[in-house]
Amino acid sequence: MRPQSIIRFEQFYLGGTAISLLTQLLNAIGLLGFSSSDAMSPFALLILMAVGYGLTFLFWYLIARRASNIAKWLLVVITLLGMIGTVPMLAMMFSSSPLEALLTTLVTLLQFVAVVFLFRRDAADWLRSKGQNQMVDVSTFN
């Protein structure tokens, strides 16, 4: 059984990913007003999005299901670099598309909270043991 912190990581991480995907779809439809597709072809944009979300789900799987401590640290580095890059971009986004800026801020916060859950004691012990440190749910015996 996975620890509660890993389950919370999964919920926040996948929740942020779902909001990010929704933002990308709304942007592609043109409802948000800010369009990054002007710089590249729609096909290239779809390929880039597929690779990005593929990596997102790969990190989720490796951390939450396979207990990979290496994937955890890679995600921490990527999240921190992403936050550094997102903060200056938000000022521009708030002036051109406030809704997209708010959604991007929400996604960034959800990803940060998800990563924080990976450093709680139960998650850190579980990841360190590569998932071998199985916890027993005592409520099943009641």
PDB file of all heavy atoms in Angstrom, residues 8 39 44 58 72 85 102 120 130 132:
ATOM      1  N   ARG A   8      -1.362  11.829  -2.056  1.00  0.00           N
ATOM      2  CA  ARG A   8      -1.592  13.281  -2.166  1.00  0.00           C
ATOM      3  C   ARG A   8      -0.740  13.877  -3.288  1.00  0.00           C
ATOM      4  O   ARG A   8      -1.199  14.736  -4.033  1.00  0.00           O
ATOM      5  CB  ARG A   8      -1.283  13.982  -0.847  1.00  0.00           C
ATOM      6  CG  ARG A   8      -2.249  13.657   0.236  1.00  0.00           C
ATOM      7  CD  ARG A   8      -3.588  14.346  -0.002  1.00  0.00           C
ATOM      8  NE  ARG A   8      -4.502  13.981   1.042  1.00  0.00           N
ATOM      9  CZ  ARG A   8      -5.623  13.320   0.853  1.00  0.00           C
ATOM     10  NH1 ARG A   8      -5.980  12.961  -0.357  1.00  0.00           N
ATOM     11  NH2 ARG A   8      -6.401  13.015   1.849  1.00  0.00           N
ATOM     12  N   ALA A  39       4.100  31.237 -33.380  1.00  0.00           N
ATOM     13  CA  ALA A  39       5.533  31.077 -33.597  1.00  0.00           C
ATOM     14  C   ALA A  39       5.889  29.756 -34.282  1.00  0.00           C
ATOM     15  O   ALA A  39       6.978  29.629 -34.814  1.00  0.00           O
ATOM     16  CB  ALA A  39       6.269  31.175 -32.269  1.00  0.00           C
ATOM     17  N   ALA A  44       3.796  20.998 -35.226  1.00  0.00           N
ATOM     18  CA  ALA A  44       4.949  21.049 -34.323  1.00  0.00           C
ATOM     19  C   ALA A  44       4.494  21.311 -32.893  1.00  0.00           C
ATOM     20  O   ALA A  44       5.048  20.741 -31.940  1.00  0.00           O
ATOM     21  CB  ALA A  44       5.925  22.125 -34.776  1.00  0.00           C
ATOM     22  N   LEU A  58       5.088  10.128 -17.472  1.00  0.00           N
ATOM     23  CA  LEU A  58       6.199   9.223 -17.146  1.00  0.00           C
ATOM     24  C   LEU A  58       6.718   9.504 -15.735  1.00  0.00           C
ATOM     25  O   LEU A  58       6.927   8.570 -14.948  1.00  0.00           O
ATOM     26  CB  LEU A  58       7.331   9.365 -18.167  1.00  0.00           C
ATOM     27  CG  LEU A  58       8.561   8.501 -17.909  1.00  0.00           C
ATOM     28  CD1 LEU A  58       8.212   7.014 -18.025  1.00  0.00           C
ATOM     29  CD2 LEU A  58       9.681   8.870 -18.870  1.00  0.00           C
ATOM     30  N   LYS A  72      12.070  11.301  -8.672  1.00  0.00           N
ATOM     31  CA  LYS A  72      11.665  12.343  -7.718  1.00  0.00           C
ATOM     32  C   LYS A  72      12.608  13.537  -7.819  1.00  0.00           C
ATOM     33  O   LYS A  72      12.158  14.683  -7.933  1.00  0.00           O
ATOM     34  CB  LYS A  72      11.678  11.791  -6.293  1.00  0.00           C
ATOM     35  CG  LYS A  72      11.594  12.857  -5.221  1.00  0.00           C
ATOM     36  CD  LYS A  72      11.939  12.278  -3.862  1.00  0.00           C
ATOM     37  CE  LYS A  72      12.322  13.332  -2.883  1.00  0.00           C
ATOM     38  NZ  LYS A  72      12.645  12.806  -1.557  1.00  0.00           N
ATOM     39  N   GLY A  85      11.226  30.077 -14.392  1.00  0.00           N
ATOM     40  CA  GLY A  85      10.843  30.589 -15.702  1.00  0.00           C
ATOM     41  C   GLY A  85       9.428  31.129 -15.760  1.00  0.00           C
ATOM     42  O   GLY A  85       9.122  32.014 -16.562  1.00  0.00           O
ATOM     43  N   LEU A 102      -3.946  33.254 -14.350  1.00  0.00           N
ATOM     44  CA  LEU A 102      -4.450  32.656 -13.111  1.00  0.00           C
ATOM     45  C   LEU A 102      -4.362  31.131 -13.158  1.00  0.00           C
ATOM     46  O   LEU A 102      -3.968  30.493 -12.176  1.00  0.00           O
ATOM     47  CB  LEU A 102      -5.889  33.096 -12.860  1.00  0.00           C
ATOM     48  CG  LEU A 102      -6.069  34.541 -12.424  1.00  0.00           C
ATOM     49  CD1 LEU A 102      -7.545  34.913 -12.371  1.00  0.00           C
ATOM     50  CD2 LEU A 102      -5.422  34.773 -11.065  1.00  0.00           C
ATOM     51  N   ARG A 120       7.751  14.485   2.627  1.00  0.00           N
ATOM     52  CA  ARG A 120       7.232  14.074   3.929  1.00  0.00           C
ATOM     53  C   ARG A 120       7.842  12.726   4.293  1.00  0.00           C
ATOM     54  O   ARG A 120       8.262  11.960   3.443  1.00  0.00           O
ATOM     55  CB  ARG A 120       5.709  14.010   3.882  1.00  0.00           C
ATOM     56  CG  ARG A 120       5.129  15.425   3.670  1.00  0.00           C
ATOM     57  CD  ARG A 120       3.677  15.473   3.824  1.00  0.00           C
ATOM     58  NE  ARG A 120       3.325  14.983   5.160  1.00  0.00           N
ATOM     59  CZ  ARG A 120       2.070  14.901   5.573  1.00  0.00           C
ATOM     60  NH1 ARG A 120       1.097  15.261   4.788  1.00  0.00           N
ATOM     61  NH2 ARG A 120       1.811  14.444   6.770  1.00  0.00           N
ATOM     62  N   LYS A 130      12.299   1.979  -2.315  1.00  0.00           N
ATOM     63  CA  LYS A 130      11.836   1.599  -3.655  1.00  0.00           C
ATOM     64  C   LYS A 130      10.493   0.872  -3.611  1.00  0.00           C
ATOM     65  O   LYS A 130      10.235  -0.059  -4.367  1.00  0.00           O
ATOM     66  CB  LYS A 130      12.873   0.776  -4.393  1.00  0.00           C
ATOM     67  CG  LYS A 130      14.185   1.503  -4.579  1.00  0.00           C
ATOM     68  CD  LYS A 130      15.022   0.863  -5.629  1.00  0.00           C
ATOM     69  CE  LYS A 130      16.354   1.543  -5.798  1.00  0.00           C
ATOM     70  NZ  LYS A 130      16.381   2.946  -5.944  1.00  0.00           N
ATOM     71  N   GLN A 132       9.384  -1.066  -1.313  1.00  0.00           N
ATOM     72  CA  GLN A 132       9.416  -2.338  -0.593  1.00  0.00           C
ATOM     73  C   GLN A 132       8.923  -2.188   0.837  1.00  0.00           C
ATOM     74  O   GLN A 132       8.531  -3.159   1.458  1.00  0.00           O
ATOM     75  CB  GLN A 132      10.832  -2.908  -0.584  1.00  0.00           C
ATOM     76  CG  GLN A 132      11.363  -3.198  -1.959  1.00  0.00           C
ATOM     77  CD  GLN A 132      10.474  -4.156  -2.738  1.00  0.00           C
ATOM     78  OE1 GLN A 132      10.033  -5.169  -2.204  1.00  0.00           O
ATOM     79  NE2 GLN A 132      10.206  -3.837  -3.987  1.00  0.00           N
TER      80      GLN A 132
END
